[in-house]
Amino acid sequence: MAPEDPIVEVIQFVSTEQCLGNPSLFQALRDIVQGWQEKGLKVQYWGTTMEKPNNIYWVLFWQSRAHAAAFAADPLYPEFVQRRQSLATTPVRDLYAPLSGDPQLCVEAPVTDVAIFKAHEARIEKMHETAHSAVHLLRSLQLQGFTGSSLGVTHEDPSVGIYFSGWNSVEDHMRIGMEEGHEKLKEEGEEFMKQLSDLIIVHVDFKKHDPEIAVPSNLHSTATDDGI
């Protein structure tokens, strides 16, 4: 991908009890990122998974990979990362990927199916092929409650992919492959699964970030004695 191509950043972490009990801690980090709206951030969403309410997904839409890289190059970015990690009980996962279709439409659905997957090293090319085939077929079907899908491979590792699909409900999503006429889609899905060494699937009710107070775009302006 070219540096000027749009990119989506997906951040995932399991939150601490302190983070869950004091939403302002995470709000403050999102406000810092929101300050970069005039420097390449388009919009950001966040939500907890329906399976585990302490599992947080944070999605940032950047105008380009170059804009995202500029944010990460700020001198105080390491302190931002440290503060972000302090809200998590596990290492924060931070991925960048150019996504097909309309990923923002997917995260604005009532329910977003988020899948992060990794291919066996010898099956990366086949994973790409089967993933695109399955998504193309999914989009061609008239599925109840389906609002759209988006697929991409991460900037960091071509063996790792990200998939979003939007649904009106979890029940609508879970009907995939269970109804008459879905046989081919089920076969495509099974073939795709054979290529993977790891797969995480969750359902998220994303919320668009709504900053309470406008903040400046310079990370330095948000610094405190405890970091940024």
Side-chain angles (χ1 to χ4, degrees):
M1 64 173 294
E4 65 271 15
D5 291 341
I7 199 164
V8 179
E9 182 178 2
V10 179
I11 302 166
Q12 179 274 328
F13 63 92
V14 177
S15 66
T16 62
E17 289 294 332
Q18 183 183 22
C19 178
L20 289 177
N22 187 355
S24 66
L25 296 174
F26 185 30
Q27 169 82 28
L29 288 186
R30 299 196 307 273
D31 284 345
I32 290 172
V33 177
Q34 193 68 26
W36 280 69
Q37 193 162 28
E38 295 182 358
K39 293 186 176 183
L41 178 75
K42 295 168 66 177
V43 65
Q44 59 175 315
Y45 297 80
W46 69 279
T48 59
T49 68
M50 296 180 178
E51 292 80 6
K52 293 183 178 180
N54 63 341
N55 191 7
I56 293 178
Y57 279 75
W58 185 9
V59 180
L60 314 178
F61 289 83
W62 294 97
Q63 291 180 23
S64 70
R65 181 70 180 93
H67 287 98
F71 176 65
D74 186 282
L76 284 189
Y77 182 75
E79 294 182 45
F80 170 81
V81 170
Q82 184 178 18
R83 182 169 169 181
R84 184 181 66 184
Q85 184 58 57
S86 73
L87 302 183
T89 61
T90 58
V92 173
R93 193 171 193 182
D94 195 350
L95 303 172
Y96 297 84
L99 298 181
S100 65
D102 189 344
Q104 188 172 343
L105 181 65
C106 296
V107 301
E108 289 179 344
V111 176
T112 305
D113 164 40
V114 179
I116 298 176
F117 51 90
K118 183 176 178 61
H120 293 287
E121 288 300 322
R123 300 179 182 177
I124 295 176
E125 185 175 344
K126 185 66 173 178
M127 179 270 284
H128 294 170
E129 177 186 329
T130 55
H132 284 285
S133 178
V135 169
H136 178 76
L137 180 57
L138 175 66
R139 291 171 178 169
S140 70
L141 298 174
Q142 298 296 318
L143 298 177
Q144 179 179 331
F146 176 66
T147 67
S149 61
S150 185
L151 174 70
V153 174
T154 65
H155 176 77
E156 301 83 3
D157 185 349
S159 71
V160 176
I162 297 173
Y163 172 73
F164 291 163
S165 62
W167 300 88
N168 288 334
S169 69
V170 175
E171 290 72 24
D172 287 336
H173 177 224
M174 299 308 292
R175 272 196 294 268
I176 292 181
M178 305 298 290
E179 298 182 356
E180 185 177 353
H182 292 185
E183 293 82 5
K184 180 62 175 177
L185 181 60
K186 185 176 180 180
E187 291 176 8
E188 293 275 3
E190 291 173 349
E191 183 63 24
F192 168 68
M193 293 287 288
K194 292 177 182 177
Q195 317 310 319
L196 305 183
S197 62
D198 188 41
L199 172 66
I200 298 171
I201 300 177
V202 295
H203 297 95
V204 184
D205 176 12
F206 280 108
K207 305 170 186 64
K208 186 177 180 180
H209 176 65
D210 184 16
E212 296 179 347
I213 302 175
V215 297
S217 60
N218 191 323
L219 285 182
H220 292 262
S221 63
T222 63
T224 68
D225 291 340
D226 296 323
I228 58 175

